[in-house]
Every structure is written in structure tokens, then in C-alpha cells.
Amino acid sequence: MEGQVPDFLQKKLVNQYGEDLFQKILSGYRAKRFVTLRVNTLKTNVDFVKDLLKTAGISYQKVSWSKEALIVQEIKEAAIWELPVYKEGGVYLQSLSSMIPPVFLDPKGGENILDMAAAPGGKTTQMAALSGGRAQITACEKNKIRAERLRYNLEKQGAANVYLMVADSRKLDDFFSFDKILLDAPCSGSGTLKLEEQGLKQNITEELVSRSAKTQEELLKKALKLLKPGHEMIYSTCSILADENEAIIEKVLGKSAEIVPISPEELPDLPLLPVSIQGTLCICPDKFYEGFFVAKIRKR
């Protein structure tokens, strides 16, 4: 099984984390991940969904850091797809790790927010819900097919205050300015590997990591141009490689911006990996979480 992790990735992970933590990451890659969902408070409420799940005989457990997040036990996603509340947009299937960046961005009503790489829309619709539908969100997606998927999800989730732009956010005009920015950057996906998947060696390559890093650097530079001075943004990836996380931040931030420390106590029970920039978070893959990196940045 171990042989399925691409050799270059195995080497990088051992170099970065050491052999013991690599074995922990590997067991996370092997783990069968629980189905997790987010209650969409634009359409329904948490207690109603909990009652529906009980009635349907679906057991769940709560998540300590989010009222809207639920871990569903011993079922496949298809069982959720059949529920009317899912078909009506009242719940959204979303990994726990990907719910974390919007929680730290903390969108509020009246704020002008940019989501730089928005499809398929899990984080966009979550930000809409967290702001009670009152934040003005611009959601960018350059790929037309992915943008259609995003549009579908925005409509289904009732996220009415979202303006969809089919555009590469690196090319947005610099006269735009935003109160908050979510940059969930395209990445190698090194935090989300599943060892039972075929073709890992073909899909995750050194070339993909270096190409991703170049895009991430360009996106973060652009984000800092578009962010209002004194305001905050989130940079996140579903990678656990420093090349796509700390290295990008160190390259771009300079004197123009600073890290706003995230305290692990704010999100108890997270399986964390060590980071080289204090105040950032890197989540270790396990049966509940995908590997994920999150940093909060303030423009000076």
C-alpha cells in the first residue's frame, strides 16, 4: 500500500515531518473518512436537521468548533443524497477541513468579500450562511464548467448575495478592493490522498507541486493588492507540503502584510502537524479530517 504514495512525495514528507509523523500521515491516507455535512442555515436550522437524521435512523456526532457541522456515522454519501433536506439545499456535503477557512475569515453582514477560487462553492455558500446572507460576496471561477457547478450550488443553497464572475482572479482589475478575501488556492491535493485510489503516481507529480506553487504565489500577491489596508484574508490549501504553504507565505508577505496568529485552542480536537510559521495551522489527515493548511493574514 505504501508504494502507492508517489516516491517524490514520500521523500518530501519524510524530509519535512520525519519518519514517525510520515507514518501518521500514511495512516490518515489509508483511513476510511467519515461522511460530514454542513447544515445550511440560509434554508433550515440545525435542530430540524438533527431531528430529520434521527427519524431517518442516521446517527451523527457533533463537532466541537461548529454548530452547523455534523459527522454522519456508518453510512455512505448516497444515503444523504436521498434526503429531501439535501435535495432542497438544506444540507451540504463538505469535508470538515474545508469548513475551517470560512470560520476563521468570520464573514459579517455588509462586508464586501472576495472568494478567489470559488468552485464548487462549499466555502462560498458557507460564508453566505455565516453572514446570514448579508455579506456581499464576489465568487471567481475561471473554468466555465466548474463555474456552472458553482452557479448551481449557489442557487440550490439560496446564497442570493453572491456575484459570480467567470474570470481568473489573478487578472482582476486593481481598482477593486475588498474588506476580506478567501484564497483557497488550487494545490497538489497532498492532504487529501486516499491510498485506495488508482493512479496516484500519475496524478500527483513534482511538476504539479511546482506548477501549483507558482499559481499560489501569483494569487496571494494579487489578493494582497485587492485587500484593503488593515483588513484580513485567509490563505488555505488542501496540501500539507511546506512548498505550497509556508514557503509561499514567506516569499510573498515581506513588509506588506503579517500573520494574524490562529490559536489551536480556538478549534479543539484538530489533529495538527507542526508548522514552520507560528500562528498558522496544518491539519493531519485522519478518519475525520483531510490534510489542510490555513493562515490568516493582515495587510499592513
Side-chain angles (χ1 to χ4, degrees):
M1 246 192 176
E2 193 169 322
Q4 289 183 290
V5 176
D7 298 337
F8 91 92
L9 180 59
Q10 181 165 332
K11 201 170 168 186
K12 272 183 181 293
L13 290 170
V14 171
N15 284 344
Q16 186 176 329
Y17 293 112
E19 186 60 45
D20 287 353
L21 279 177
F22 172 67
Q23 291 303 325
K24 190 180 173 189
I25 290 164
L26 203 56
S27 71
Y29 287 164
R30 285 194 188 108
K32 193 164 169 31
R33 207 162 286 126
F34 280 81
V35 172
T36 55
L37 60 83
R38 174 175 54 80
V39 177
N40 174 20
T41 51
L42 294 173
K43 287 260 180 126
T44 185
N45 65 69
V46 176
D47 289 335
F48 179 73
V49 171
K50 285 177 178 173
D51 288 343
L52 275 182
L53 293 175
K54 277 180 195 157
T55 306
I58 297 171
S59 58
Y60 62 85
Q61 68 187 76
K62 294 187 269 191
V63 175
S64 58
W65 47 266
S66 169
K67 296 192 299 290
E68 295 81 27
L70 297 173
I71 297 164
V72 183
Q73 293 158 325
E74 295 156 13
I75 65 152
K76 292 192 164 64
E77 289 188 347
I80 301 296
W81 297 340
E82 294 308 311
L83 298 174
V85 73
Y86 173 82
K87 292 174 182 172
E88 291 154 14
V91 299
Y92 188 88
L93 288 164
Q94 187 173 350
S95 81
L96 292 182
S97 297
S98 84
M99 296 182 207
I100 291 170
V103 167
F104 279 124
L105 191 69
D106 191 23
K108 301 270 193 261
E111 288 178 336
N112 197 1
I113 298 172
L114 173 65
D115 188 348
M116 290 184 81
K123 296 179 192 70
T124 321
T125 53
Q126 184 184 355
M127 289 192 291
L130 285 169
S131 73
R134 295 191 305 275
Q136 301 290 332
I137 301 171
T138 301
C140 274
E141 177 51 54
K142 66 175 185 169
N143 180 297
K144 282 189 177 142
I145 294 165
R146 285 171 61 80
E148 279 312 306
R149 182 75 193 153
L150 172 58
R151 191 188 307 280
Y152 169 81
N153 279 325
L154 293 172
E155 286 170 8
K156 185 177 176 183
Q157 306 286 302
N161 262 6
V162 179
Y163 172 58
L164 171 57
M165 284 181 84
V166 185
D168 184 336
S169 51
R170 289 174 291 186
K171 295 180 177 145
L172 288 180
D173 198 299
D174 287 345
F175 74 72
F176 284 109
S177 72
F178 295 91
D179 300 313
K180 287 178 178 169
I181 295 177
L182 176 66
L183 169 51
D184 185 53
C187 71
S188 65
S190 66
T192 63
L193 299 198
K194 291 178 181 165
L195 283 196
E196 74 266 18
E197 281 177 8
Q198 300 301 307
L200 288 183
K201 292 197 173 186
Q202 291 77 29
N203 295 337
I204 300 205
T205 61
E206 280 188 89
E207 200 263 331
L208 174 63
V209 173
S210 59
R211 198 171 68 235
S212 298
K214 185 175 180 293
T215 304
Q216 290 150 2
E217 188 183 334
E218 290 166 359
L219 282 164
L220 185 52
K221 281 178 178 166
K222 187 66 178 184
L224 289 172
K225 279 185 180 162
L226 300 175
L227 186 65
K228 292 177 183 174
H231 287 241
E232 293 174 357
M233 66 167 287
I234 294 288
Y235 174 81
S236 62
T237 73
C238 57
S239 176
I240 53 175
L241 290 173
D243 309 43
E244 299 181 80
N245 299 328
E246 294 101 320
I248 302 300
I249 288 170
E250 280 164 354
K251 219 168 179 181
V252 175
L253 257 52
K255 293 192 171 78
S256 66
E258 61 191 349
I259 291 290
V260 179
I262 293 169
S263 161
E265 286 77 55
E266 291 177 62
L267 268 70
D269 311 321
L270 286 190
L272 293 177
L273 288 166
V275 286
S276 62
I277 297 179
Q278 206 174 351
T280 62
L281 281 187
C282 193
I283 299 163
C284 183
D286 72 0
K287 65 183 178 181
F288 296 120
Y289 291 90
E290 293 177 333
F292 224 86
F293 178 83
V294 186
K296 188 187 267 197
I297 296 165
R298 183 187 296 122
K299 185 172 177 177
R300 292 186 197 275

